Amino acid sequence: MDSKKLAQQVTKIINDTPIADIHTHLYSEAFGDLLLYGIDELITYHYLVAELFRYKPELEYETYWNMSKQQQADLIWDTIFVNNSPISEAARGVVTVLNKLGIDAADKDLTKIRTALQQYSTSQYIDKVFETANVKYAIMTNDPFDETEVPVWDTTGNSDTRFKPALRVDGLLNDFPLCAKKMAHQGFKITSKNLDKAVITATKDFLSSWIEKIKPLYIAASMPNDLKIDDGSDTAKVILDCLIPVARENNLPFAMMIGVKRQMNPDLRLAGDGVGKADVDIVATLARENPDVKFLVTMLSRENQHELCITARKFKNLTIFGCWWFLNNPSIIREMTAERIETLGLTMIPQHSDARVLDQIIYKWTHSRKVIGEVLTEKYSDIVEAGWPVTEDDIKRDVNMILGGQLLWR
Ligand code: HDL
Ligand code: ZN
């Protein structure tokens, strides 16, 4: 197969393979306003909020936060899209979504775009977006401490199989006392403020009851760049005495998302988080000490990536995934996918979308499919050049393994 044909084959197969999107912040329609979608939500995505203040440093934070959603979108649209070129990854993403939905944005008229998108009902739009993105399912981020989300699980629950649950428990690491109150409110007797034996048992019972209730595909928590598990802290106790044992007892993967500097700039609210290099030895220690637990790990710092690849080579119970958040940019996706294939072959999950707004799965996967496809083509070309035949079926098998969700189950 000559290199041009190979490139065409890989591109077609990667575009035709329905994606298992293993980490998003999307919700099915049953969750009401928790499901964000549409042009104003796209334009006010927190990535673009941070960029807005860079173009308009004179803008006061509170002035922006006091605006209506539409006013915020108008300001970002004029600033980033009309008066400048929407050339950043998050800005380009909005343009890709409009293009893929067949909406002409050339006259840059936001009112016209809003009107064009009003043709869809919510369920029609969910269908349209999933079909356009060719995503088979999106794993949600379900928080058992979220006052808006909990009642939905206690009433209608989720019946849309395109949205699959994941149990996200950052609260237990970030604010145990508050979560203790909420667990008590849900009927779990938390008898003291310290993480003593009784409190750990009650917390594990709480987690197991939620696993029973929502049937998550994994348990997840994001963790700071300065995470420590050997200091006897509450964070360490929650991870070692609650989350890992509960993952083991329920035969669920434990997803650790490491490297966040939460609220580096609180004035930016959701856009205010930063990134820091973390200690990959923690991942190695947990994987080594818990060989019967499956760890899914993504790290936020570019500087951690090569070390994480090599650590994954040492532990068969460790699968690394995604180009998370600040890494979800073509230049870094390319570098990370190449070093992962070179060190791990196909035993890794190259990407997740992290979409917060439904429409984003269109652009996040259009952009990622292109880059991952280019790297795969290069790697296939290398083995073809070395004399190894690569068939269409080989490529289909491989792409479905890394992007079709198979690895999540191993
Ligand atoms: O903690 C996370 O899951 C992160 O993805 C944050 O939600 C972050 O704000 C984000 O949306 N990244 O894409
Ligand atoms: Zn996320």
Side-chain angles (χ1 to χ4, degrees):
M1 197 189 299
D2 72 38
S3 52
K4 190 158 176 300
K5 180 110 176 59
L6 178 62
Q8 286 165 346
Q9 284 267 353
V10 172
T11 303
K12 182 171 183 332
I13 291 167
I14 211 164
N15 289 338
D16 291 351
T17 301
I19 299 278
D21 194 346
I22 75 158
H23 170 58
T24 76
H25 298 270
L26 302 181
Y27 295 88
S28 57
E29 201 172 355
F31 291 86
D33 293 344
L34 283 173
L35 167 63
L36 303 178
Y37 65 92
I39 189 67
D40 288 328
E41 292 296 347
L42 269 179
I43 294 173
T44 57
Y45 183 37
H46 69 74
Y47 290 32
L48 291 171
V49 173
E51 293 171 34
L52 167 71
F53 285 100
R54 297 204 50 71
Y55 282 105
K56 292 182 81 71
E58 72 284 3
L59 175 65
E60 294 296 332
Y61 294 114
E62 280 320 303
T63 307
Y64 176 79
W65 296 121
N66 292 330
M67 288 178 183
S68 69
K69 173 68 76 177
Q70 184 164 320
Q71 288 168 331
Q72 290 172 347
D74 289 340
L75 179 60
I76 291 175
W77 180 259
D78 289 343
T79 307
I80 296 180
F81 293 78
V82 177
N83 300 332
N84 290 283
S85 300
I87 202 167
S88 73
E89 184 59 9
R92 172 171 81 107
V94 177
V95 179
T96 299
V97 170
L98 296 176
N99 175 272
K100 291 288 181 183
L101 289 176
I103 292 173
D104 177 8
D107 55 8
K108 306 180 186 179
D109 179 343
L110 186 50
T111 309
K112 233 176 87 184
I113 294 168
R114 285 180 177 127
T115 310
L117 284 168
Q118 266 152 14
Q119 62 182 294
Y120 302 103
S121 69
T122 304
S123 55
Q124 285 168 342
Y125 200 56
I126 293 173
D127 295 347
K128 178 73 181 167
V129 170
F130 268 85
E131 183 205 327
T132 308
N134 194 14
V135 166
K136 83 171 126 174
Y137 61 77
I139 299 184
M140 300 183 278
T141 295
N142 302 115
D143 180 350
F145 304 109
D146 182 298
E147 316 287 337
T148 318
E149 186 173 349
V150 169
V152 179
W153 288 111
D154 290 337
T155 51
T156 54
N158 169 54
S159 57
D160 188 334
T161 54
R162 292 169 298 184
F163 297 85
K164 299 192 181 304
L167 187 61
R168 178 73 178 261
V169 291
D170 289 23
L172 289 176
L173 301 180
N174 300 336
D175 188 346
F176 192 85
L178 176 61
C179 290
K181 280 203 197 90
K182 294 184 175 188
M183 289 191 279
H185 183 66
Q186 293 186 33
F188 293 83
K189 271 284 149 275
I190 305 287
T191 46
S192 95
K193 277 203 304 298
N194 320 316
L195 262 154
D196 58 28
K197 207 166 164 358
V199 170
I200 285 169
T201 304
T203 304
K204 286 173 64 184
D205 291 346
F206 170 81
L207 291 169
S208 296
S209 78
W210 270 88
I211 289 169
E212 182 52 39
K213 187 189 292 193
I214 75 171
K215 306 272 187 296
L217 298 189
Y218 55 75
I219 305 178
S222 74
M223 300 162 187
N225 63 299
D226 58 359
L227 173 72
K228 292 201 177 16
I229 55 164
D230 58 359
D231 58 0
S233 62
D234 280 357
T235 295
K237 282 185 195 157
V238 166
I239 293 170
L240 298 173
D241 302 337
C242 298
L243 300 185
I244 291 177
V246 166
R248 174 182 292 111
E249 286 151 26
N250 292 278
N251 191 26
L252 282 180
F254 176 34
M256 302 196 296
M257 306 167 74
I258 310 169
V260 198
K261 281 185 180 172
R262 289 288 177 197
Q263 295 301 280
M264 186 182 269
N265 177 357
D267 289 327
L268 283 172
R269 299 185 184 176
L270 203 51
D273 297 329
V275 54
K277 193 169 179 306
D279 180 0
V280 182
D281 281 349
I282 290 174
V283 176
T285 302
L286 292 176
R288 183 174 53 247
E289 293 180 356
N290 302 280
D292 56 340
V293 173
K294 171 81 185 276
F295 291 90
L296 292 171
V297 173
T298 196
M299 295 185 82
L300 191 52
S301 168
R302 179 186 176 208
E303 286 68 22
N304 280 138
Q305 299 308 320
H306 182 259
E307 204 179 328
L308 183 59
C309 286
I310 304 311
T311 303
R313 284 172 59 86
K314 306 305 148 198
F315 299 101
K316 60 187 176 179
N317 59 323
L318 169 59
T319 297
I320 66 179
F321 74 94
C323 300
W324 183 28
W325 199 346
F326 303 117
L327 300 171
N328 195 358
N329 297 315
S331 59
I332 298 181
I333 297 169
R334 181 169 286 108
E335 173 185 278
M336 286 175 65
T337 304
E339 71 182 349
R340 285 167 169 178
I341 291 174
E342 290 155 358
T343 55
L344 301 167
L346 299 161
T347 66
M348 49 88 195
I349 302 171
Q351 188 58 301
H352 64 273
S353 72
D354 226 326
R356 272 181 179 279
V357 181
L358 178 73
D359 327 42
Q360 290 176 336
I361 58 175
I362 294 174
Y363 90 78
K364 287 175 183 268
W365 283 111
T366 300
H367 296 179
S368 287
R369 278 183 159 115
K370 182 169 182 296
V371 178
I372 293 167
E374 287 165 356
V375 176
L376 270 175
T377 300
E378 183 198 325
K379 296 305 172 186
Y380 282 129
S381 304
D382 290 348
I383 57 174
V384 167
E385 196 181 321
W388 189 268
V390 173
T391 68
E392 187 180 338
D393 285 346
D394 293 340
I395 301 168
K396 281 182 183 165
R397 173 203 60 208
D398 298 348
V399 170
N400 197 41
M401 172 165 164
I402 61 175
L403 289 173
Q406 287 173 24
L407 270 175
L408 196 59
W409 312 105
R410 288 212 173 156

